[in-house]
Amino acid sequence: MELSKCSLEMLREMGLRSVEELFADVPKEIRTGGLKLPEGMSELELRRELGTMLSSNRTSSARPCFLGAGVYNHFIPAAVKAVVSRSEFVTAYTPYQPEISQGMLQSLFEYQSYMAELTAMDVVNCSMYDASTALGEAVLMANRISGGDKFLISRAVSPEKKAVAALYARGADIKIIEVAYEPTTGLVDLSDLKSRLTEGVSGFYFETPNFLGPIETRCSEIREVLGNRTMVVGVNPMALALLKPPGEMGADIVIGDAQVFGTPMNLGGPMIGIFGCKSDHVRKMPGRLIGMTTDLEGRRSFCMTLQTREQHIRRSKATSNICTNEALLAVTAAAYLAVVGRSGLRQIAAKNVENMKSLTSRIGAVKGFKAPHFKAPHFNEFVVKSDIPAARLHDELLMRGIQGGWVLEGAFPELKHGTLYATTEMHTRQDHDRLLTVLEALR
Amino acid sequence: MRYHQAVHEVPVIFEGCEKAPAEGGFDPTVGGALPRELLRSELNLPDLAERDVVKHFTNLSQMNFGVDNGLYPLGSCTMKYNPKICDEVVSWSSVTDIHPLQDPSTIQGALKLMYELERMLCEIGGVDAVTLQPAAGAHGEYTGIHLVKAYHEAKGETRKEIVLPDTAHGTNPASAAMVGYDVLELPSKEGCVDVEALKSAVSKDTAAFMLTNPNTLGIFEKDVIEIAGIVHDAGALLYYDGANLNAIMGKTSPGKMNFDIVHFNLHKTFATPHGGGGPGAGPVGVKSSLQDFLPVPMIVFDGQKYSLDSSRPKSIGKVRAFFGNFAVMVRAYAYIKMQGGEGLQAASENAVLNSNYIKEKLKGDLELPYGNLRKHEFVLSGKPLKSKGVRTLDFGKRLLDYGYHAPTVYFPIIVDEAIMIEPTETETKETLDRFIEVCKAIIAEDPELLKAAPQNTARRRLDEAKAARDMIFSWKAFEKKSAGKA
């Protein structure tokens, strides 16, 4: 590698002849002698090659996609992208120096404020990696709050989340026990829940709407049944524009994913885990918190606070190992909510319900299909049962350029021929028509 | 040449929200297709004009400092310049508008990119297989320690302890503890691993030894092969914290140093922007003896098409939903492709050159403990300032006044008044010379100026104790507190 004039000058000033002298402490026996990677590309070459490579991806903008299952396709106003791509936000590190980082800190405080309002929880941290890891952390936190060595999780939870929660629980020697859902409503089976509340159970996690679509209608009964055990509720924050918030139903911890607020699907990453709790539990909480304070001149200011919970101070005694989180997505969520406003958000959420209503009734009207499978209120996601195997339905749709819902029977064998469909404000009447045309041809 | 950050009066976005009734107000019948008893009765969010929202966040952004604003020598964070093309490609619809559960036949481009990124990371890390699933460095550590656990359990062994040096990043012990391990912190000797102490510390209870090389002092642990031997002879595994990988690309690799498990920080070494705290990505690479334990799904290629393999009975399962932070991976892929093998090696060489250059110029003004040669970062002690009644904290704050982000301070803890500087390879000699000049000027300045710093930033020093005491984490809490006072 030829050195630049400046590099040579720097070496000369240091009394060295080559950069190699700076690696004199790396023993010969462990030298690799370079990297076996192709030569570098120009920006133009990269753009061409990457463009070609990625062009084989079939996008939701090119053809209708009815997948949800935790990642949703929502509209993103141009103003959101514009403000969030400000490089002062994008290229900053964690705001360790608050005096020079007020922009990020105030934006994160605003994110926390938006989430606290939507969920009606006292405290929401400034993000976890995604909802699945938020659940993992919630299992650990429930254990810190209520003690015990077991934790209950509703069966109507995504297999991805269950897998992640299982891993987090395993690390802490906590046993996860599943609670059944009612076969007709898809809601938490209260009698099964009661029967599983044995000694050592620290808490229970359920969702509303749950993974299979139903909105839980008996949260207060669940709260009562749990007694002083920790109640962890999973939400779709978009649905909270309309629905009674978990904070009003006695939740101790609330988790969810704020990807729906301004972040594209991006093949499922990055996402942004919401993590909120009651103020009593704040010192047991994982993740960064932004607090309000004042500066020397008495001006309102923001900084990271209660850091004694965190790894860089407490090391092995920290409440979590999390350091890097999803800060920029939190700013995105705040900017999204600011742009759409309360009225806009409620209209968007209502449009989701309307599309769900319309699509379920149209699918349900086709012979050989039932939608929604569960007798319960839904938001924008629901189970479709078909006379034909779900995998065949999937293939038939794919052949006609439609990405159908998620085939359930692998993870939920009891839902034979079941598929999980999502529809958002992004679907037009024509998108629904295209799906219906195929379904009708199949009957 | 002084720096002045913008100071805007930006109210919290909720401020005045109730006073100005939102257009249309709160209509509880919106969402009327849902049963009334499920609907909420209030939601105090502001309705704002787009114009005002853009003004709000634009002004806030001007009160924030990123790499694009200037030198960001935050040690251990590798705040290098992020090429703009990497941000542009992730705005393409072929990246943004794909769903993780799509039929694999419809995301072949994305799978190919991830597959190739895994192979490139294998080459850089000297490992045999990589998972891209972890969302951050600490999450990579967490994944890696689960792999450690699975490895020993598969051999029918229960080992209780993870050993690491006292200079380790805080995430190391925290990650180990989260997987249920006891943590043993080993005092360093002359800034490096105390080989004799390590020998007596490891036992049949040791599951792994975690190390970053170069270590957090920027010193290359040249006894690494002996260390690996000691660890492996005890039947334990060697874990590489990849936070400092930017020092060694093309020169050596964790695999070549006999590490078994390594995490990469794509947001450090591979130039993906840090977003004010995230997203990052923390892929984990392993030697072949551990690859069966990696998270599912694995991306496989049969020579024609890419598919997902989830039937791996020894796998630890999943550490995160879906594939990981895909948009971050695309940026890192673009960066590596543009650099090429030689470019990455040059990046490490220049990072080490820049770091040593500043160190040489400043070591006479502040103290440099433990030998001389450093890699991509170095740690000075601010002890000499103490006689003037000035602390490292003051020095860092004063740098802000000159338009530099402060270095990492008070870490690692074995250096009194630590100042950890990592300039990265993307800064020019001119920038470094100016920074050196400013550091020297600050050291000579009136101590009162340092103690009163910063003064040119959007805020002066904060009352951090008040933040911890008041516990105001939301606008709602602020209003409640204000109402209580009134």
Side-chain angles (χ1 to χ4, degrees):
Chain A
M1 192 83 204
E2 211 168 302
L3 288 174
S4 69
K5 216 177 124 211
C6 282
S7 300
L8 287 170
E9 174 61 21
M10 283 159 72
L11 284 172
R12 197 189 57 75
E13 285 184 44
M14 293 159 73
L16 300 174
R17 272 162 307 169
S18 73
V19 172
E20 189 46 41
E21 289 175 60
L22 294 170
F23 289 89
D25 51 359
V26 181
K28 289 272 174 300
E29 54 181 314
I30 57 168
R31 290 304 190 92
T32 46
L35 291 164
K36 289 182 201 69
L37 292 175
E39 232 177 273
M41 287 180 176
S42 70
E43 190 170 322
L44 177 60
E45 288 166 330
L46 172 83
R47 178 189 280 279
R48 276 192 195 125
E49 189 183 296
L50 201 55
T52 308
M53 184 201 267
L54 294 172
S55 66
S56 62
N57 291 340
R58 306 265 291 277
T59 67
S60 59
S61 42
R63 53 102 181 89
C65 170
F66 292 91
L67 289 165
V71 181
Y72 300 91
N73 189 22
H74 288 290
F75 180 67
I76 303 171
V80 176
K81 292 182 203 164
V83 296
V84 173
S85 53
R86 295 282 308 187
S87 77
E88 296 91 331
F89 288 141
V90 175
T91 70
Y93 202 75
T94 302
Y96 288 129
Q97 298 291 335
E99 299 88 349
I100 206 166
S101 312
Q102 283 299 300
M104 177 54 67
L105 287 160
Q106 182 172 331
S107 303
L108 293 174
F109 178 85
E110 289 172 350
Y111 162 79
Q112 292 179 178
S113 302
Y114 270 116
M115 293 303 131
E117 186 59 37
L118 276 164
T119 59
M121 298 304 285
D122 299 326
V123 191
V124 177
N125 74 16
C126 71
S127 75
M128 309 303 287
Y129 310 130
D130 72 347
S132 74
T133 58
L135 175 58
E137 295 272 12
V139 172
L140 306 184
M141 183 166 155
N143 193 249
R144 291 192 287 273
I145 294 171
S146 306
D149 56 2
K150 294 191 272 289
F151 186 86
L152 308 181
I153 292 184
S154 160
R155 179 163 173 76
V157 166
S158 103
E160 299 271 332
K161 266 191 213 148
K162 283 183 202 166
V164 175
L167 186 81
Y168 276 69
R170 206 188 312 150
D173 253 331
I174 295 167
K175 194 175 169 213
I176 299 280
I177 299 165
E178 204 164 85
V179 173
Y181 60 81
E182 292 178 345
T184 45
T185 63
L187 302 175
V188 171
D189 182 332
L190 284 174
S191 59
D192 190 54
L193 173 62
K194 280 178 201 157
S195 75
R196 297 191 187 274
L197 287 174
T198 53
E199 187 70 30
V201 170
S202 61
F204 174 49
Y205 173 70
F206 68 98
E207 299 175 342
T208 177
N210 71 34
F211 179 68
L212 302 170
I215 297 170
E216 188 57 59
T217 55
R218 294 173 306 206
C219 294
S220 42
E221 279 110 308
I222 295 171
R223 173 73 273 180
E224 224 164 274
V225 167
L226 288 180
N228 55 11
R229 293 178 178 90
T230 305
M231 178 161 120
V232 185
V233 182
V235 296
N236 175 342
M238 183 68 86
L240 288 179
L242 305 174
L243 296 177
K244 213 169 260 179
E248 282 180 17
M249 305 181 298
D252 292 291
I253 299 173
V254 170
I255 66 152
D257 210 306
Q259 174 264 329
V260 293
F261 296 148
T263 295
M265 297 189 290
N266 287 331
L267 199 70
M271 307 282 288
I272 161 173
I274 300 169
F275 197 103
C277 70
K278 286 185 180 167
S279 51
D280 302 348
H281 306 319
V282 68
R283 287 179 196 280
K284 298 190 171 76
M285 178 179 212
R288 292 188 186 125
L289 283 169
I290 311 303
M292 187 191 280
T293 184
T294 49
D295 78 345
L296 259 181
E297 294 177 12
R299 294 175 291 187
R300 183 191 291 160
S301 310
F302 302 90
C303 64
M304 297 196 287
T305 191
L306 299 193
Q307 293 187 65
T308 49
R309 298 165 301 115
E310 294 187 58
Q311 49 77 26
H312 59 288
I313 311 263
R314 197 57 71 83
R315 298 176 76 87
S316 65
K317 302 284 185 292
T319 54
S320 167
N321 68 338
I322 192 167
C323 179
T324 286
N325 54 23
E326 308 296 325
L328 193 64
L329 276 68
V331 179
T332 306
Y336 173 89
L337 290 164
V339 169
V340 301
R342 175 174 68 186
S343 320
L345 185 69
R346 286 170 59 77
Q347 279 162 18
I348 295 162
K351 178 72 184 164
N352 277 258
V353 177
E354 195 186 306
N355 272 3
M356 176 277 298
K357 282 271 175 190
S358 157
L359 189 57
T360 48
S361 71
R362 291 182 70 187
I363 294 174
V366 181
K367 193 167 172 287
F369 291 92
K370 189 187 168 213
H373 170 66
F374 293 109
K375 287 192 187 64
H378 291 69
F379 178 59
N380 64 1
E381 202 158 22
F382 51 91
V383 173
V384 172
K385 287 272 235 153
S386 50
D387 286 353
I388 60 168
R392 203 194 121 199
L393 173 60
H394 169 84
D395 290 343
E396 295 280 351
L397 289 167
L398 202 60
M399 267 168 22
R400 290 163 182 81
I402 297 170
Q403 170 66 57
W406 191 62
V407 176
L408 286 164
E409 48 198 21
F412 296 87
E414 70 275 23
L415 296 172
K416 201 167 172 245
H417 295 195
T419 307
L420 183 66
Y421 273 76
T423 184
T424 70
E425 79 281 4
M426 296 298 271
H427 285 153
T428 60
R429 176 84 189 177
Q430 289 70 35
D431 292 331
H432 286 184
D433 288 347
R434 276 184 73 177
L435 174 67
L436 265 298
T437 307
V438 179
L439 298 188
E440 274 158 9
L442 282 173
R443 66 178 162 179
Chain B
M1 200 174 75
R2 282 289 168 81
Y3 165 82
H4 282 280
Q5 191 176 37
V7 191
H8 301 291
E9 286 304 316
V10 186
V12 170
I13 200 139
F14 287 70
E15 217 150 359
C17 153
E18 295 78 6
K19 276 169 247 148
E23 262 172 71
F26 188 86
D27 176 1
T29 63
V30 174
L34 295 171
R36 192 68 187 261
E37 66 275 14
L38 293 177
L39 299 180
R40 68 190 300 155
S41 55
E42 60 171 351
L43 182 63
N44 293 316
L45 306 181
D47 271 329
L48 303 159
E50 178 178 318
R51 192 265 167 281
D52 289 335
V53 175
V54 170
K55 182 176 70 180
H56 177 88
F57 286 104
T58 302
N59 286 341
L60 281 180
S61 77
Q62 291 182 344
M63 296 197 286
N64 213 58
F65 190 89
V67 169
D68 284 7
N69 293 91
L71 182 68
Y72 214 119
L74 193 64
S76 267
C77 300
T78 314
M79 293 298 280
K80 59 173 83 175
Y81 171 72
N82 318 119
K84 295 303 164 193
I85 179 69
C86 302
D87 287 332
E88 190 174 303
V89 296
V90 299
S91 69
W92 292 349
S93 174
S94 56
V95 174
T96 57
D97 297 340
I98 48 175
H99 191 285
L101 296 174
Q102 272 182 228
D103 192 278
S105 69
T106 67
I107 47 169
Q108 287 292 301
L111 296 177
K112 179 172 197 255
L113 185 146
M114 290 190 283
Y115 185 85
E116 289 189 358
L117 179 59
E118 287 177 4
R119 302 286 91 68
M120 296 191 296
L121 292 175
C122 280
E123 169 63 18
I124 295 163
V127 287
D128 300 313
V130 162
T131 174
L132 300 171
Q133 209 172 85
H139 203 213
E141 294 171 14
Y142 182 70
T143 307
I145 301 303
H146 266 293
L147 296 172
V148 167
K149 193 177 181 191
Y151 171 86
H152 291 302
E153 281 175 359
K155 296 198 343 190
E157 291 180 15
T158 349
R159 291 172 175 249
K160 292 196 189 74
E161 196 170 68
I162 300 276
V163 185
L164 39 84
D166 55 4
T167 52
H169 294 114
T171 49
N172 289 188
S175 299
M178 261 178 97
V179 186
Y181 283 105
D182 296 332
V183 176
L184 178 68
E185 292 206 4
L186 213 58
S188 299
K189 188 180 173 189
E190 287 302 301
C192 286
V193 173
D194 182 338
V195 176
E196 292 309 311
L198 178 67
K199 272 184 199 161
S200 48
V202 295
S203 69
K204 61 176 180 20
D205 264 340
T206 310
F209 181 60
M210 297 177 88
L211 184 65
T212 180
N213 197 15
N215 65 27
T216 56
L217 290 161
I219 300 173
F220 194 83
E221 300 268 2
K222 58 183 187 335
D223 298 329
V224 63
I225 291 294
E226 189 184 355
I227 291 168
I230 295 165
V231 172
H232 288 148
D233 285 348
L237 296 169
L238 193 59
Y239 183 95
Y240 185 85
D241 173 344
N244 295 346
L245 187 67
N246 206 44
I248 59 163
M249 287 185 290
K251 296 291 181 186
T252 179
S253 72
K256 190 80 180 174
M257 293 186 259
N258 289 345
F259 283 86
D260 304 288
I261 307 173
V262 46
H263 84 254
F264 303 84
N265 295 75
L266 298 189
H267 49 286
K268 295 180 180 176
T269 322
F270 303 104
T272 73
H274 201 260
V284 170
V286 295
K287 292 281 177 70
S288 56
S289 56
L290 285 141
Q291 67 182 4
D292 287 349
F293 304 109
L294 288 175
V296 285
M298 290 297 286
I299 300 162
V300 289
F301 183 52
D302 66 2
Q304 307 233 298
K305 64 177 193 329
Y306 297 87
S307 52
L308 302 173
D309 179 12
S310 289
S311 51
R312 300 170 62 88
K314 288 187 181 167
S315 164
I316 58 165
K318 292 197 67 82
V319 296
R320 182 199 181 282
F322 311 116
F323 301 103
N325 284 346
F326 179 67
V328 178
M329 297 171 206
V330 176
R331 286 180 173 92
Y333 179 91
Y335 173 78
I336 296 172
K337 279 285 191 183
M338 291 215 306
Q339 296 293 313
E342 280 193 17
L344 290 177
Q345 182 169 333
S348 284
E349 288 174 350
N350 286 318
V352 171
L353 175 61
N354 284 356
S355 153
N356 277 284
Y357 181 73
I358 302 180
K359 175 212 70 190
E360 281 303 310
K361 302 273 174 156
L362 289 183
K363 69 179 183 186
D365 302 87
L366 295 166
E367 251 173 50
L368 178 74
Y370 313 122
N372 191 38
L373 190 52
R374 292 295 184 272
K375 289 280 115 12
H376 68 305
E377 68 187 7
F378 62 97
V379 179
L380 293 170
S381 168
K383 220 161 50 182
L385 299 172
K386 271 184 174 170
S387 59
K388 297 168 66 179
V390 168
R391 301 198 59 202
T392 280
L393 179 77
D394 306 316
F395 177 76
K397 295 296 183 197
R398 186 61 177 153
L399 276 171
L400 305 181
D401 277 337
Y402 289 87
Y404 298 110
H405 195 277
T408 296
V409 290
Y410 301 105
F411 181 82
I413 32 189
I414 62 165
V415 174
D416 189 22
E417 297 287 317
I419 304 172
M420 185 193 235
I421 296 174
E422 180 181 10
T424 82
E425 72 278 11
T426 56
E427 301 299 334
T428 61
K429 179 173 184 292
E430 207 176 7
T431 301
L432 303 183
D433 283 336
R434 167 82 187 134
F435 175 70
I436 291 160
E437 199 182 298
V438 165
C439 286
K440 286 176 185 285
I442 290 175
I443 292 165
E445 269 182 337
D446 178 354
E448 294 313 310
L449 274 174
L450 274 70
K451 284 190 260 183
Q455 302 195 49
N456 302 341
T457 47
R459 288 291 180 274
R460 297 189 59 193
R461 281 194 210 186
L462 269 59
D463 187 346
E464 299 193 18
K466 177 177 158 64
R469 205 166 52 236
D470 289 358
M471 299 213 284
I472 297 171
F473 306 125
S474 65
W475 184 251
K476 184 170 80 174
F478 171 74
E479 288 198 313
K480 204 170 152 192
K481 195 174 167 79
S482 311
K485 266 187 203 154

